[in-house]
């Protein structure tokens, strides 16, 4: 069974440029998560989808970040414009149920973003 | 703000040593604790989901215990091998919340 797929794995851009990350969750997983991991910190939730609905986007900086999960499968996370402080690893995860409480979350390898 | 602490932050051991590290979390309103293992350049891998006080789970040479009353979980690796080198993350889930709160991780390096 294929795991969570993310692309690109690495991205280097100049500040003020836009950038997009793509995630394909495990087939059949209803819940999809985007996390941000800054250096030396644990992952922090940005947004959680149940099917195509964003049920928790309270931590998503909406002035520059946007996300979508059309058709409740793949998801894209966008930053426009990127700032130096956005340099981090962006992780996508998925889980089977619509309640993440004890469901195991399966993570992708992440996209490492460097903003110059 | 929920505080999930992991200690030590990093550990260097020799092959064959056993290791023990701690995840501390709020003892009130506990719901679940997740442990993950994250090797460099790979995806974080789920190890355990623990929900009951006194739980003990085992996967090969790795085991974990849970004390919800005092707010800690231990992760124990018996006879560490170089392939155990990774960052070990714990994540706490509070009752009434759907959001995992991660610790900063514990980086283990096992030297051959």
């Amino acid at each position: 069974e294929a795991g969570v797929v993310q692309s690109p794995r690495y991205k280097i851009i100049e500040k003020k440029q836009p950038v997009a990350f793509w995630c394909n969750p495990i087939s059949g997983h209803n819940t999809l998560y985007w996390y941000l991991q800054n250096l030396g910190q644990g992952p922090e939730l940005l947004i959680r989808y149940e099917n195509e609905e964003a049920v928790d986007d309270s931590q998503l900086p909406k002035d520059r970040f946007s996300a979508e999960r059309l058709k409740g499968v793949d998801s894209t996370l966008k930053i426009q414009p990127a700032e130096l402080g956005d340099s981090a690893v962006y992780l996508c995860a998925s889980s089977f149920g619509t309640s993440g409480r004890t469901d195991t979350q399966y993570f992708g390898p992440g996209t490492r973003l460097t903003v110059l | 703000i929920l505080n999930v602490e992991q200690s030590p932050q990093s550990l260097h051991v020799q092959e064959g040593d056993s290791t023990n590290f701690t995840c501390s979390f709020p003892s009130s309103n506990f719901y679940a604790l997740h442990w993950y293992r994250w090797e460099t350049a790979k995806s974080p891998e789920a190890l355990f989901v623990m929900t009951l006080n006194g739980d003990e789970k085992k996967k090969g040479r790795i085991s974990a215990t849970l004390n919800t009353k005092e707010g800690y979980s231990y992760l124990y690796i018996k006879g560490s091998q170089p392939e155990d080198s990774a960052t070990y993350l714990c994540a706490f889930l509070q009752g009434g919340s759907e959001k995992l709160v991660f610790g900063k991780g514990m980086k283990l390096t096992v030297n051959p």
Side-chain angles (χ1 to χ4, degrees):
Chain A
E1 181 184 280
V4 176
V5 179
Q6 289 189 248
S7 69
R9 291 291 306 273
Y10 305 91
K11 188 75 177 177
I12 300 174
I13 60 171
E14 294 190 347
K15 63 181 180 182
K16 300 184 182 179
Q17 295 300 306
V19 64
F21 314 123
W22 176 79
C23 173
N24 180 238
I26 292 172
S27 177
H29 280 195
N30 298 310
T31 307
L32 184 145
Y33 313 78
W34 282 103
Y35 287 91
L36 162 69
Q37 195 213 13
N38 286 305
L39 187 65
Q41 304 295 315
E44 297 175 23
L45 182 70
L46 288 172
I47 189 167
R48 175 169 66 93
Y49 283 93
E50 289 182 7
N51 298 304
E52 64 274 9
E53 182 183 357
V55 295
D56 184 356
D57 63 356
S58 57
Q59 303 300 309
L60 190 73
K62 297 181 183 63
D63 56 336
R64 296 184 301 107
F65 286 65
S66 64
E68 61 183 12
R69 191 184 184 198
L70 300 176
K71 300 180 182 178
V73 181
D74 294 2
S75 178
T76 304
L77 179 68
K78 296 179 182 177
I79 308 175
Q80 183 170 12
E83 297 179 352
L84 295 176
D86 296 331
S87 295
V89 175
Y90 292 82
L91 288 161
C92 178
S94 69
S95 64
F96 178 73
T98 54
S99 168
R101 311 203 77 197
T102 55
D103 286 343
T104 295
Q105 293 185 25
Y106 295 86
F107 283 83
T111 296
R112 181 175 295 277
L113 174 67
T114 302
V115 182
L116 302 175
Chain B
I1 297 177
L2 294 178
N3 212 18
V4 178
E5 300 284 345
Q6 290 189 246
S7 62
Q9 292 185 351
S10 67
L11 193 60
H12 290 252
V13 301
Q14 290 298 125
E15 182 175 354
D17 289 349
S18 293
T19 64
N20 192 2
F21 24 102
T22 305
C23 173
S24 301
F25 49 84
S27 57
S28 61
N29 206 9
F30 173 88
Y31 194 86
L33 188 83
H34 295 233
W35 278 103
Y36 286 88
R37 178 174 177 272
W38 192 0
E39 287 182 73
T40 303
K42 293 188 178 179
S43 304
E45 173 197 355
L47 289 174
F48 307 114
V49 179
M50 308 182 82
T51 56
L52 297 175
N53 184 45
D55 253 357
E56 183 167 343
K57 297 206 172 183
K58 190 173 180 181
K59 186 175 183 177
R61 293 179 292 97
I62 305 176
S63 60
T65 61
L66 179 67
N67 184 324
T68 61
K69 295 188 186 306
E70 296 183 42
Y72 65 83
S73 175
Y74 291 141
L75 191 74
Y76 178 73
I77 302 177
K78 183 179 178 181
S80 302
Q81 300 297 308
E83 58 265 31
D84 296 328
S85 297
T87 295
Y88 292 82
L89 290 158
C90 67
F92 169 72
L93 188 61
Q94 192 173 50
S97 172
E98 300 276 351
K99 186 164 75 175
L100 285 177
V101 178
F102 282 83
K104 293 182 181 180
M106 198 289 299
K107 185 172 182 178
L108 175 66
T109 304
V110 182
N111 299 310

